[in-house]
Structures are given as C-alpha cells and as structure tokens.
Amino acid sequence: MKRATKKLLALVLSFTLIISTFAFMSSTSAAEAAGTDIPLIYVVGTGAHIIADNPDGTTRKIFPLQLPENFIMDTVKENIDVFAKAVVTQEWDEFCDVAYNIVAPLYADLMLDKNGNPLDNSRVDISSIDRINPTKTNGKYETEQFIFYYDWRIDPYVTAEKLHEYIEAVLAATGETEVALLGRCLGDCITAAYMEKYDGEYVSDYISYASALNGAEFCTKAFCGEIYLDADGIERFVYDLELSTDNTVNELIQAVVTVLNETYGLDFLAWSVNNVYPDIYLNIVPRLLRDMYGNFPAYWAMVSDEDYIKAKETVFHGVDKEEYANFISIIDDYHYNVQVKAPEMFNEFKERGITVANVTKYGYQTLPVVKDADVLGEDFCTVTKASFGATTAEIDSVLSDDYISAAQINGTDRYISPDKQIDASTCVSPDTTWFIKNMQHKTFPLSINPLFDYIINSENPTVFSNEEFPQYLVYNYETDTLSPMASDNMNTTDRYNTDFFDSLKKIIRFIFNLIKTSIADSVNPTPAE
C-alpha cells in the first residue's frame, strides 16, 4: 500500500510539473521566410533566460529553474508519510506547510521585491539592441530578424519603455520610419502596453499572436485558486503530449489512461483531489503565489477581467493589503488602462489607418486543471479570449444547426469555420482575425511567417482578400505547412476518439511482449564480454 501511495504521489507531482511547464514554454528560433517590407518587431512570450549577480561580481542563471538531481523521487520519499497522514486524518495543515517549504525555495532567486522590482540585479541574459542587424535579404527584412527579448516578470509598462528604446534603435539602424509590431502570448500584453503608453508611435501594423492579452485560462484560474481536475480532460491531455520519444511507450501510457478513465479510475482521482482542494487551497495557494508567479506584475496581465478581483482576493488573502499597496497599484494600472480598454484602443487605431490583426490557434482543449477543460483553445488560452470574442463550440462538438441557420439569415455565416466550430463574426476585428487549427500554444513554426508577411506587406489585408490565407487554416505537424481549411484536412481531433477495448488490447499486447522478451533473455542470455 505504501509503495502504491508513493507511485501515486510521484505521478501527481510529475503531472503538476508538466502542467506548469506549459505556461512558460517559448520558442526563439530564427526564421528564413520571404520577409517584410518594413521591420517587424517580434515580441516573444515568456521564457527568456534570467541571470542575477553574485556578491563576487560573477553571474548565475536563475531561470530556467534547475531542479536538483532526483528531486521528485527524493521529495516523495522524504514526505510520503506526511501525505499519507493527511489522507487518513484529513488534516492538511502540515502537508500544506511541507509543500510550501518544498516549492517556494525553488523560486527564491526569481522573486521581485514588493514594489515589483528585480533583486540582485536579476535580468534577461540577452540584449536585443546589441543583436540588431539592419541588413535586408533580397530586398526584405526576415520575419523574425528583430526579436525583442525582455524580463517577463516585471511591469509591462516598464518593459514598454524598453520596447520603445528598441524600436527607435531599429529605426535608426535601418533608416525606416515605421515598424510592424507583433506580440506573442504575454508579448501581446507588452505590445498593447506600448500602444497605450506611446499612442501607437511608429507602428503601421499591429498583430496579436496566440494572445494572452484578454486573459489566459490556466493563469487566471490558478490566481483565483480555482483548480479542478477534469477526468475526461486528463485523458484528452495525454493524447496531446509526447511523453516519450518511444512511440510504443506513448501509446501504452495513453492506453492505460483511457482504461483508467473508462473504469472510473481517473474519476476517483479527480474526485479525491476536487473534494479536498476547496478546503485547503486558502492555506497553500495564496502564499505560494505571492512567492511565485503572483509576485510578477507581468503575469497579472494574463488574468482575465471577469476574474481579476477574485484573483486579487485570493493571492492577497490573509495579508495586510497596505504592505502590497504599491504592487497592487502597478497591476491595477495595467489592468484597467490596457487590458480592459484594449478593444476600444484597437478600434481607435484601426480608424487611424493602423492594420490591427489577430492570429489565434485552436484544436486543443484547455489544460485539464480547470472546470471548463473542454472549451476550445490551444491548451493555454481559449479561442474566445485569444481572438477577442469568437463564438465557439466545445472541443468535441460543433455549433448547433439553429445557430448556423441564424447566421445564414443575418449574413454572418461566411465567418463560420468549415469545421463548424468557430464563428468569427463576434470578434472585435472579424475581417482581420485568422485561425489556425491543429497548432498548440507552445508551437511557433516558421511556416506561419508567410501569413505575417502577407498581413504586413499588403494594403488593407483581410481574411477574404487572398485565397492562400483565408480566415481558417490548418497546420500539418509532419510537413510543417499551413493549408486552407477544407473537408479533407479539418478533422484533426480524431486522437480524442478513444476506444476502451482497443486500449485494453494494447496493454495486454505490451505485457505479452514484455514477458516474451524476458523469457527469451533468460533462455539466451547475452554472453559476458
């Protein structure tokens, strides 16, 4: 029993770390695309490496986090008795204290002070200005030639000031008078802060890409303390992951999870966690967040407006609000002047002739630690949030016949996706909002760059003005290509159509092959060298 409990706790801890990783993944590869006529300032998401100064004048890398060797298994072994005691007695105070003392020190070097300022001169370990290359290739700037890296912890308004310096440096180096601005994930929060603070200075085109500006579901619910395990969502999630480079191992894990879900094993796990969590979260979540990502003003930029007050109540629960008055003022300033006003701001810029476009991914559920895990998204952000208003079906369904009939009557059916999962007519910018199916949040392939080039190089581009780039596209992982959505490529979620007996057969076949191999090895042992 104790061994089984250890394995369960190790599985839960491993799964938690996998989930956390999704929030901070970021690709920074250089592109080789046709390019743009003017410089595209490409503002990446989270994930840039962070360094800090040592007392002796040297520096140390503090992000990505470096876990001690065998950290997970050692932590489980050392604290299994505390967990078992809490399960039996349902007294979780000691467990919460132990969990906090394990996790919080991992983030100690990354923490900001209570005014949102870095400690030990911690900073991003790359200078964007020093990397400026003004050279054109075949008369074009490469799509990702001007990448802006930044400290993804600090106030977006402070980063906007640094972005302004970078833009002016690019213009000085290239001799151009204007730029295009693209913000990816958290980067869209930064670019929006720039647009608000500098009134769109120098910007001719503005692109939101996999945007978290309107709120990221996982970040929002975590800050609110509203974590909820969804059994069906967990099953779908393992079919979205590559847990091993060995495809056989991947299929085995997926088969085991499917069998567990069909036999209510995952339901029991989810029920156990969801039954306990509401009683203990205020004992652990607020203090952990205050010493982790809730300490970063930039992460507050990804908390959606409808949950913002609840998030503040949760994170600052049990502490004197005056102690955090400056910090709260910083996050309020951004929230109410940028996120809340973003749709109005976008419309004003469009009226001034600035191209305002949005590129949103979909075809995946949100992470299975929220109640609405079946909402259509790209695992980190929902489609509705990322696109600023699209109406969607759930991950495994389509818009109703009545809905589509009503759209046909009012003339908005041309904005409905061929797979009938999205209606873009309800977006803030329906004519300049593109959707790419079968692309996860963490995936930023070079094959998307021609779409950005088209938007920037064209005069008044829309989703209807180029057959190569219609409103709905599909990404092919195997060929790394984008194609217009059609009946023969739009069904990309068949991986979720699992079968209990097929999964059971896979498990039995794996066990049989394992036994067969063991017997063969014992009969014909490998000779010693």
Side-chain angles (χ1 to χ4, degrees), residues 208-421:
S208 298
Y209 175 33
S211 174
L213 172 58
N214 202 23
E217 190 73 6
F218 173 63
C219 185
T220 295
K221 297 307 180 184
F223 275 40
C224 290
E226 296 177 357
I227 299 302
Y228 181 91
L229 287 188
D230 181 293
D232 291 337
I234 293 172
E235 181 183 359
R236 288 191 296 264
F237 186 63
V238 298
Y239 284 87
D240 291 341
L241 292 177
E242 184 177 336
L243 297 170
S244 170
T245 55
D246 187 331
N247 192 51
T248 301
V249 174
N250 274 327
E251 290 185 355
L252 175 65
I253 294 172
Q254 292 164 352
V256 169
V257 172
T258 292
V259 170
L260 282 174
N261 196 30
E262 292 292 334
T263 56
Y264 300 100
L266 286 185
D267 286 285
F268 178 73
L269 172 63
W271 175 85
S272 300
V273 173
N274 296 335
N275 190 51
V276 170
Y277 180 77
D279 296 329
I280 70 170
Y281 85 94
L282 285 177
N283 191 358
I284 181 68
V285 172
R287 51 178 168 160
L288 263 184
L289 284 173
R290 287 195 300 271
D291 285 344
M292 291 171 55
Y293 298 100
N295 175 254
F296 305 155
Y299 268 72
W300 281 93
M302 297 188 287
V303 176
S304 61
D305 182 45
E306 60 267 28
D307 293 300
Y308 182 66
I309 293 176
K310 171 68 182 299
K312 288 198 295 184
E313 291 173 349
T314 299
V315 173
F316 300 109
H317 173 81
V319 297
D320 183 0
K321 303 296 190 300
E322 289 300 316
E323 187 179 351
Y324 292 89
N326 288 339
F327 185 90
I328 292 173
S329 176
I330 290 170
I331 62 176
D332 279 352
D333 189 22
Y334 172 87
H335 180 79
Y336 292 110
N337 288 301
V338 179
Q339 188 192 87
V340 173
K341 295 180 179 179
E344 176 186 346
M345 181 171 63
F346 290 160
N347 286 329
E348 290 178 358
F349 287 130
K350 284 189 288 186
E351 291 176 1
R352 286 163 45 181
I354 295 176
T355 296
V356 176
N358 183 294
V359 178
T360 291
K361 309 171 181 181
Y362 80 105
Y364 294 84
Q365 64 171 23
T366 50
L367 295 178
V369 290
V370 297
K371 284 188 176 181
D372 299 322
D374 57 354
V375 172
L376 191 64
E378 30 85 304
D379 61 45
F380 191 57
C381 299
T382 68
V383 168
T384 299
K385 289 293 185 184
S387 66
F388 277 85
T391 300
T392 71
E394 294 178 349
I395 182 65
D396 54 357
S397 63
V398 297
L399 298 170
S400 70
D401 291 340
D402 288 343
Y403 185 96
I404 294 174
S405 296
Q408 291 170 339
I409 292 172
N410 63 34
T412 59
D413 55 305
R414 66 176 183 159
Y415 293 102
I416 293 178
S417 59
D419 62 9
K420 299 181 180 180
Q421 287 199 293

Side-chain angles (χ1 to χ4, degrees), residues 34-85:
T36 57
D37 296 330
I38 60 174
L40 167 61
I41 309 300
Y42 196 120
V43 183
V44 297
T46 66
H49 292 193
I50 303 293
I51 59 174
D53 290 342
N54 293 318
D56 63 0
T58 60
T59 62
R60 65 187 185 279
K61 182 173 290 187
I62 60 177
F63 187 88
L65 298 178
Q66 300 296 318
L67 293 180
E69 188 175 357
N70 300 320
F71 172 77
I72 293 177
M73 289 309 301
D74 289 346
T75 299
V76 170
K77 290 177 183 178
E78 293 169 6
N79 298 284
I80 187 66
D81 292 339
V82 175
F83 176 71
K85 177 182 175 182

Side-chain angles (χ1 to χ4, degrees), residues 508-528:
I508 294 173
R509 189 182 303 118
F510 180 85
I511 295 174
F512 175 78
N513 289 334
L514 190 64
I515 295 173
K516 183 179 177 181
T517 302
S518 298
I519 293 174
D521 289 344
S522 63
V523 173
N524 301 299
T526 303

Side-chain angles (χ1 to χ4, degrees), residues 120-278:
D120 293 336
N121 193 31
S122 58
R123 60 202 182 276
V124 66
D125 73 344
I126 187 171
S127 169
S128 298
I129 289 181
D130 290 344
R131 294 167 59 92
I132 291 175
N133 171 18
T135 305
K136 286 186 175 182
T137 302
N138 297 323
K140 302 280 188 181
Y141 297 107
E142 292 184 1
T143 311
E144 296 182 31
Q145 186 166 333
F146 302 100
I147 299 179
F148 179 70
Y149 300 95
Y150 58 95
D151 190 333
W152 40 265
R153 302 170 299 167
I154 65 175
D155 179 9
Y157 269 129
V158 174
T159 303
E161 295 173 2
K162 299 180 183 298
L163 177 57
H164 186 257
E165 294 174 4
Y166 178 72
I167 290 173
E168 291 193 324
V170 168
L171 294 177
T174 61
E176 303 285 356
T177 59
E178 58 185 9
V179 300
L181 194 56
L182 181 149
R184 189 181 81 195
C185 185
L186 175 62
D188 198 33
C189 302
I190 305 303
T191 55
Y194 172 88
M195 296 294 281
E196 196 281 329
K197 185 177 182 68
Y198 294 98
D199 196 31
E201 186 178 14
Y202 305 125
V203 177
S204 67
D205 304 84
Y206 182 96
I207 303 175
S208 298
Y209 175 33
S211 174
L213 172 58
N214 202 23
E217 190 73 6
F218 173 63
C219 185
T220 295
K221 297 307 180 184
F223 275 40
C224 290
E226 296 177 357
I227 299 302
Y228 181 91
L229 287 188
D230 181 293
D232 291 337
I234 293 172
E235 181 183 359
R236 288 191 296 264
F237 186 63
V238 298
Y239 284 87
D240 291 341
L241 292 177
E242 184 177 336
L243 297 170
S244 170
T245 55
D246 187 331
N247 192 51
T248 301
V249 174
N250 274 327
E251 290 185 355
L252 175 65
I253 294 172
Q254 292 164 352
V256 169
V257 172
T258 292
V259 170
L260 282 174
N261 196 30
E262 292 292 334
T263 56
Y264 300 100
L266 286 185
D267 286 285
F268 178 73
L269 172 63
W271 175 85
S272 300
V273 173
N274 296 335
N275 190 51
V276 170
Y277 180 77

